[in-house]
């Protein structure tokens, strides 16, 4: 766990939700390709054994779902590291913005609000309608493979 703790400490925190902290970090030294590191931290309001079991189950389920998505042709990040006991899953870093950001409903690092959907999506040469179709196609592929995303939000895409 010491090396995983140092991995988190050397990584840049990107966001934090109720269930996890998300970091951008590197698994190699010297750093080569960045990875997205999701750390499901222990919940102080839960019994420690229950929290640990839920974390192990959720990390395992997420890693398996990502692998099934890859096999089904859904474009998702490749899994690079899974440590269920520490609550860490690391995956390929994909440059870009979340759907939430692209739709103008996100305050970025600068704290500025994107008020123009066209302006943000225009940077990627895509319309809002095209984006919705792409999301629908990806979701349909997941459902055809019997993969149900249990927390589908624009922040998670």
């Amino acid at each position: 766990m010491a090396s995983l703790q140092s991995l988190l400490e050397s990584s840049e925190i990107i966001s934090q939700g109720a269930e996890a902290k998300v970091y951008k970090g590197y698994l190699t030294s010297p750093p080569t390709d960045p990875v997205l590191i999701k750390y499901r931290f222990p919940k102080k309001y839960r019994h420690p054994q229950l929290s640990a079991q839920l974390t192990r189950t959720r990390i395992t389920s997420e890693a398996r779902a990502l692998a099934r998505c890859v096999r089904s042709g859904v474009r998702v990040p490749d899994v690079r590291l899974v440590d269920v006991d520490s609550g860490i899953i690391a995956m390929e870093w994909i440059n870009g913005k979340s759907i939430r950001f692209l739709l103008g409903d996100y305050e970025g690092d600068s704290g500025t609000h994107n008020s123009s959907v066209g302006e943000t999506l225009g940077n990627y040469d895509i319309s809002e309608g095209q984006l919705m179709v792409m999301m629908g196609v990806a979701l349909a592929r997941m459902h055809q493979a019997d993969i149900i995303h249990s927390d589908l939000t624009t922040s998670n895409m």
Side-chain angles (χ1 to χ4, degrees):
M1 175 64 181
S3 62
L4 290 175
Q5 188 62 37
S6 64
L7 172 64
L8 293 177
E9 290 170 0
S10 67
S11 299
E12 171 191 356
I13 190 160
I14 303 297
S15 66
Q16 178 175 344
E19 295 292 320
K21 293 180 182 179
V22 178
Y23 298 84
K24 181 178 184 179
Y26 298 89
L27 297 177
T28 59
S29 183
T32 53
D33 296 326
V35 292
L36 181 142
I37 303 164
K38 183 176 183 179
Y39 170 54
R40 288 186 171 273
F41 48 84
K43 309 304 177 291
K44 299 197 185 302
Y45 58 85
R46 284 192 198 133
H47 187 279
Q49 288 176 315
L50 175 62
S51 186
Q53 181 58 42
L54 285 171
T55 296
R56 281 192 296 275
T57 301
R58 289 176 180 166
I59 291 286
T60 301
S61 296
E62 185 171 1
R64 286 181 179 157
L66 286 167
R68 288 176 61 206
C69 282
V70 168
R71 288 193 302 271
S72 301
V74 180
R75 292 178 56 186
V76 296
D78 287 334
V79 175
R80 302 285 196 236
L81 172 109
V82 176
D83 188 310
V84 294
D85 294 326
S86 299
I88 291 176
I89 183 170
M91 57 195 84
E92 171 187 20
W93 180 265
I94 297 176
N95 285 320
K97 304 292 183 192
S98 69
I99 300 299
R100 181 177 179 188
F101 183 92
L102 292 174
L103 293 176
D105 187 26
Y106 182 79
E107 289 191 14
D109 295 333
S110 63
T112 59
H113 186 73
N114 297 311
S115 58
S116 172
V117 171
E119 178 182 306
T120 305
L121 289 175
N123 295 336
Y124 293 88
D125 196 29
I126 186 171
S127 71
E128 187 174 349
Q130 290 169 318
L131 179 63
M132 296 301 130
V133 169
M134 291 169 64
M135 290 169 48
V137 167
L139 189 57
R141 281 190 185 138
M142 289 174 64
H143 287 182
Q144 287 171 344
D146 290 326
I147 301 165
I148 307 301
H149 195 301
S150 61
D151 188 26
L152 189 63
T153 68
T154 55
S155 296
N156 293 339
M157 297 180 81

